[in-house]
């Protein structure tokens, strides 16, 4: 495959004439463009280039004994005979790739479409001899090939090969010659070399269609190859002959079309009746007509399309870059640069490759006026030849995931997770160097591959199917295409994930990751709601007052109390979080969690208790009806420990005081709250995470105690 630099050198002056003339508007347009770029990069231009598969032999290029040809002499009377030296063995070189004109057929039981055929891995000389015999006894007598021979002016060439194949001594002679030429097992292309009447040179099948053969040139082998490949596009997927003259879906020109062509995304298939209601496979060329050459070009897109896909959420996610509008030379070169880099680097996603190009780190930089877009699709394999398309859009854009990545990194670097100034208080939420969403690094790859959501959403079992209404699919496609996510459904997924989490410990790092993600999504304008109660969750947050608090030198200048530091930190966090600050019920749930987290930290550190309040009141056990009882028992336990420490006041009084204010501000008894359970549990879990992270072992020793001598 040509490098981007070689591609530009080869095609810059002629590329525009090779490209579609209409703007990119469908997935089929993208596939066709990919296939055209790939064909030019591998097989070059020409009438039959789209049908050739040179990449199928790249792995044996320049290997010893990687090309084995049966040499045949042609006579003026139309007969053929084996040459004096029947078998010719050499290395397959770059120069010989177009000469052998190989067209692969992906079938373990069949032969390749071209007369050139690739062997299996490490075949013995007798097996190689069998492949050579097949060139005459199988390929030359194939029904489709015989039809071409009957109609083509040079069909006698194929007929002569078929006649030669009837020679009963042929197989033995070829085997003897092959064994004498090969040293051992090999993987090779097997083909023919023919010497036309009166010529002293032997020509490979592809050379006969070029000026190399002079007056003996003929395209009969390529025409037969093309017919064999096309025959597989009209009789598959429950159709026997889905072909007819119609307007090509891609070019808009009338041509011979096929209706059941292969599809690199396994989307436009005969069993996909939900995509084409009432589909009749035999008449598919009427409802979805693709020209014969167009169908083959689309198949050639497979390599680039596979490179731009990855596994996520038990599905295959396709992220296909393209440029809005009609393809031009500038756009095509920039697109090829992205596709080539993704193909060459298995660890590089299309988003990352495009971002490198955007930053000028590649051969052809992307400028904003080129209007880069992405097709985003999530497709799940269901059963044999059945694939479900759960979500797709043509509106993906580079800056949606880039902006979200930047937003997430800013959140992690903010005082929400990073201590600032001279305060020795921990930040509100914990971080961990081995927890991806809690480290201040780029999340671009994580977002593009779906790992960004996988870390915060409920786990999928290895064999669990993803249902069409699974919110994670909508969320993934939404993030990649800039469509805001419904925050209610996001909270539901978060809550399910933390209530399902294995183990006895509170999932602090998961909760912290979810809150970081929620904040980043809001700041990137990727959250929406249909319920006014959730509107504060969609607002941008900066945690400015928290930054001011943690940078205030006066906090410790006079040896200020631990309780004062805790109070200012808690007030700052609440003030900077609209979802908590603007909703008394949500604030109450959060503060209850804070109190239970702080008391639990005390129990574990000072009391050496194996079972703490967090264990007694887990996330999944909290409901509106249990809120008051949980609150009373938490406050009671706080008072007990305050007395045990002979404190003049109540331990964590700042939290208890805020709790009383919040419940009073709700203006209703907690038993009558209309708060959703998912909302309650998420902010309760956030509070527990805050409280556990806020606790420090010497907190209580810094509180004001009653004189122990009294």
């Amino acid at each position: 495959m040509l490098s981007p630099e070689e591609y530009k050198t080869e095609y810059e002056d002629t590329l525009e004439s090779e490209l579609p003339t209409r703007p990119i508007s469908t997935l089929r347009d993208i596939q066709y463009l990919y296939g055209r770029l790939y064909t030019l990069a591998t097989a070059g231009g020409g009438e039959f280039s789209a049908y050739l598969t040179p990449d199928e032999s790249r792995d044996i290029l320049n290997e010893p004994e990687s090309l084995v040809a049966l040499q045949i002499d042609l006579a003026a009377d139309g007969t053929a005979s084996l040459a004096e030296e029947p078998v010719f063995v050499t290395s397959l070189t770059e120069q010989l790739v177009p000469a052998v004109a190989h067209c692969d057929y992906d079938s373990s039981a069949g032969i390749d479409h071209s007369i050139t055929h690739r062997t299996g891995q490490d075949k013995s000389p007798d097996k190689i001899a069998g492949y050579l015999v097949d060139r005459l006894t199988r390929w030359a007598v194939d029904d489709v090939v015989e039809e071409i021979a009957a109609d083509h002016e040079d069909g006698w060439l194929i007929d002569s090969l078929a006649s030669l194949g009837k020679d009963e001594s042929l197989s033995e002679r070829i085997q003897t010659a092959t064994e004498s030429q090969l040293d051992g097992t090999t993987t090779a292309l097997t083909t023919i070399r023919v010497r036309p009447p009166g010529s002293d040179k032997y020509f490979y099948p592809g050379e006969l269609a070029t000026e190399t053969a002079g007056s003996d040139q003929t395209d009969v082998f390529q025409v037969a190859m093309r017919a064999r490949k096309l025959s597989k596009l009209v009789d598959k997927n429950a159709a026997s002959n889905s072909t007819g003259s119609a307007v090509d879906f891609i070019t808009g020109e009338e041509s011979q079309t096929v209706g059941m062509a292969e599809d690199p995304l396994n989307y436009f298939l005969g069993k996909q009746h939900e995509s084409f209601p009432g589909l009749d496979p035999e008449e598919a060329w009427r409802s979805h007509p693709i020209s014969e050459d167009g169908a083959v070009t689309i198949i050639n897109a497979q390599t680039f399309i596979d490179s731009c896909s990855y596994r996520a959420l038990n599905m295959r996610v396709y992220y296909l870059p393209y440029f809005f509008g009609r393809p031009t030379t500038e756009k095509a070169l920039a697109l090829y640069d992205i596709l080539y880099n993704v193909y060459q680097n298995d660890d590089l996603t299309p988003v990352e490759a495009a971002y490198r190009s955007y930053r000028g780190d590649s051969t052809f930089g992307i400028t904003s006026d080129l209007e880069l877009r992405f097709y985003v699709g999530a497709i799940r394999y269901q059963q044999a030849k059945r694939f479900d398309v759960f979500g797709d859009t043509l509106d993906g854009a580079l800056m949606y995931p880039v902006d979200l990545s930047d937003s997430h990194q800013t959140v992690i670097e903010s005082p929400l997770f990073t201590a600032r100034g001279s305060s020795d208080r921990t930040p509100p939420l914990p971080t961990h160097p081995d927890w991806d969403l809690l480290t201040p690094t780029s999340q671009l790859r994580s977002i593009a591959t779906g790992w960004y959501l996988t870390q915060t959403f409920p786990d999928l079992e290895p064999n669990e199917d993803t249902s069409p209404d699974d919110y994670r699919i909508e969320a993934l496609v939404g993030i990649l295409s800039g469509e805001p996510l419904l925050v209610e459904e996001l909270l539901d997924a978060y809550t399910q994930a933390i209530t399902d989490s294995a183990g006895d410990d509170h999932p602090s790092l998961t909760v912290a990751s979810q809150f970081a993600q929620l904040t980043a999504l809001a700041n990137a304008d990727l959250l929406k709601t249909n319920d006014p109660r959730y509107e504060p969750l969609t607002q941008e947050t900066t945690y400015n007052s928290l930054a001011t608090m943690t940078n205030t030198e006066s906090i410790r200048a006079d040896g200020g109390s631990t309780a004062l530091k805790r109070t200012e930190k808690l007030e700052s966090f609440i003030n900077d979080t609209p979802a908590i600050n603007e909703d008394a019920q949500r604030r109450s749930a959060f503060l209850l969690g804070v109190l239970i987290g702080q008391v639990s930290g005390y129990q574990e550190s000072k009391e050496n208790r194996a079972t703490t309040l967090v264990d007694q009141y887990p996330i999944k056990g909290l409901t509106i009806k249990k809120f008051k009882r949980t609150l009373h028992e938490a406050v009671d336990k706080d008072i007990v420990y305050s007395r045990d420490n002979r404190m003049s006041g109540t331990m964590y009084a700042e939290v208890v005081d805020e709790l009383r204010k919040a419940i009073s501000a709700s203006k209703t008894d907690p038993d009558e709250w209309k708060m959703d359970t998912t909302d309650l549990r998420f902010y309760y879990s956030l509070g527990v995470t805050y409280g556990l992270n806020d606790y420090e072992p010497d907190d209580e020793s810094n509180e004001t105690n009653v004189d122990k001598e009294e």
Side-chain angles (χ1 to χ4, degrees), residues 665-708:
S666 71
K667 299 181 181 179
T668 55
D669 188 276
D671 289 341
E672 299 175 3
W673 286 354
K674 302 300 181 182
M675 189 179 188
D676 289 339
T677 302
T678 54
D679 199 1
L680 173 75
R681 289 176 176 174
F682 178 76
Y683 281 95
Y684 168 73
S685 69
L686 179 66
V688 172
T689 301
Y690 179 105
L692 289 172
N693 195 59
D694 190 51
Y695 177 77
E696 293 184 5
D698 62 346
D699 270 0
E700 287 67 40
S701 64
N702 291 329
E703 302 282 3
T704 304
N705 291 3
V706 176
D707 187 348
K708 294 183 180 181

Side-chain angles (χ1 to χ4, degrees), residues 282-413:
E282 290 291 345
E283 301 296 319
W285 62 273
R286 299 181 187 274
S287 58
H288 192 67
I290 303 291
S291 69
E292 293 174 335
D293 289 351
V296 174
T297 300
I298 285 172
I299 293 172
N300 289 344
Q302 189 77 60
T303 297
F304 282 154
I305 285 178
D306 285 348
S307 299
C308 294
S309 69
Y310 35 79
R311 292 288 302 175
L313 307 173
N314 285 2
M315 295 179 299
R316 199 78 189 168
V317 176
Y318 294 87
Y319 206 98
L320 312 180
Y322 71 97
F323 289 101
F324 188 75
R326 189 179 74 81
T328 63
T329 297
E330 182 184 12
K331 291 178 179 179
L333 289 174
L335 179 59
Y336 181 77
D337 184 65
I338 295 172
L339 296 174
Y340 178 86
N341 286 318
V342 175
Y343 169 72
Q344 292 291 338
N345 190 339
D346 291 339
D347 294 329
L348 195 67
T349 66
V351 177
E352 293 170 301
Y355 192 48
R356 288 185 182 184
S357 182
Y358 182 79
R359 294 183 308 179
D361 297 337
S362 61
T363 304
F364 306 106
I366 298 173
T367 57
S368 58
D369 61 322
L370 290 182
E371 297 185 272
L372 178 68
R373 295 287 189 274
F374 290 88
Y375 164 84
V376 184
I379 300 175
R380 190 193 75 188
Y381 171 82
Q382 189 183 77
Q383 59 186 9
K385 297 183 180 178
R386 178 65 183 265
F387 300 80
D388 290 333
V389 183
F390 284 170
D392 67 341
T393 178
L394 283 164
D395 293 332
L398 173 62
M399 299 317 294
Y400 294 134
V402 169
D403 288 347
L404 178 56
S405 174
D406 292 345
S407 175
H408 192 100
Q409 187 169 346
T410 299
V411 169
I412 298 301
E413 291 174 341

Side-chain angles (χ1 to χ4, degrees), residues 26 30 34 55 183 185 203 215 302 350 414 426 456 504 594 631:
T26 69
I30 298 173
Y34 279 24
D55 267 6
D183 292 333
T185 62
F203 298 96
S215 60
Q302 189 77 60
S414 76
T426 58
T456 58
D504 297 328
V594 173
L631 172 63

